[in-house]
Amino acid sequence: MIREFKKGGLDEPRDINSVIISGRVMYEPTPADYTVTEKNGARFNLKIRTDGVSKTPQVFRIVVWGKRATEYYPVCKKGDYILVQGSLRKNNWVDDKDIIHDEAEIDASKVSMLGV
């Protein structure tokens, strides 16, 4: 049986924006820019080893906000192996030289230390 969805209806399918990723912290977290709501934040890059075919690791920018940032910021160190859960967010801006920037980052809802 084929189910039809009404556009804008309660039973319309929803998009999923969920990320789970693990890797090593590339540098000590730095304070993130404050937003309109002035939350505390921390920002760092996470290095991911790939399947071994490519020797170049992938790097993802991670941002942690609010209470999670204040708890995580003092204990996270360069080289720590962590697991990040969150959502993907894309930022666009124009700098003072009129250059358009387009950057994706992971907005972390949970960060877990994995040890190893």
Side-chain angles (χ1 to χ4, degrees), residues 10-43:
L10 293 177
D11 61 348
E12 182 178 3
R14 304 282 184 234
D15 295 334
I16 298 173
N17 183 357
S18 181
V19 176
I20 299 175
I21 193 168
S22 66
R24 297 221 177 257
V25 176
M26 289 187 66
Y27 57 80
E28 309 291 320
T30 58
D33 298 330
Y34 286 94
T35 62
V36 175
T37 58
E38 296 191 21
K39 296 183 197 176
N40 291 326
R43 174 176 281 130

Side-chain angles (χ1 to χ4, degrees), residues 5 11 31 34 49 58 62 66 80 93 101 110 114:
F5 294 100
D11 61 348
Y34 286 94
R49 285 187 299 175
Q58 296 181 18
I62 311 292
D80 285 349
W93 74 95
H101 297 268
K110 185 175 182 181
L114 297 177

Side-chain angles (χ1 to χ4, degrees), residues 87-102:
S87 58
L88 189 61
R89 181 177 60 209
K90 194 170 181 182
N91 297 323
N92 303 308
W93 74 95
V94 179
D95 66 15
D96 55 355
K97 296 179 182 176
D98 289 332
I99 298 173
I100 299 172
H101 297 268
D102 187 17

Side-chain angles (χ1 to χ4, degrees), residues 57-112:
Q58 296 181 18
V59 177
F60 297 90
R61 180 181 298 260
I62 311 292
V63 179
V64 186
W65 295 107
K67 185 178 178 183
R68 287 181 303 277
T70 56
E71 291 172 351
Y72 180 71
Y73 184 79
V75 297
C76 177
K77 304 292 180 222
K78 179 181 176 180
D80 285 349
Y81 189 53
I82 63 171
L83 176 81
V84 175
Q85 294 175 286
S87 58
L88 189 61
R89 181 177 60 209
K90 194 170 181 182
N91 297 323
N92 303 308
W93 74 95
V94 179
D95 66 15
D96 55 355
K97 296 179 182 176
D98 289 332
I99 298 173
I100 299 172
H101 297 268
D102 187 17
E103 180 180 84
E105 63 187 14
I106 296 171
D107 189 3
S109 58
K110 185 175 182 181
V111 176
S112 303

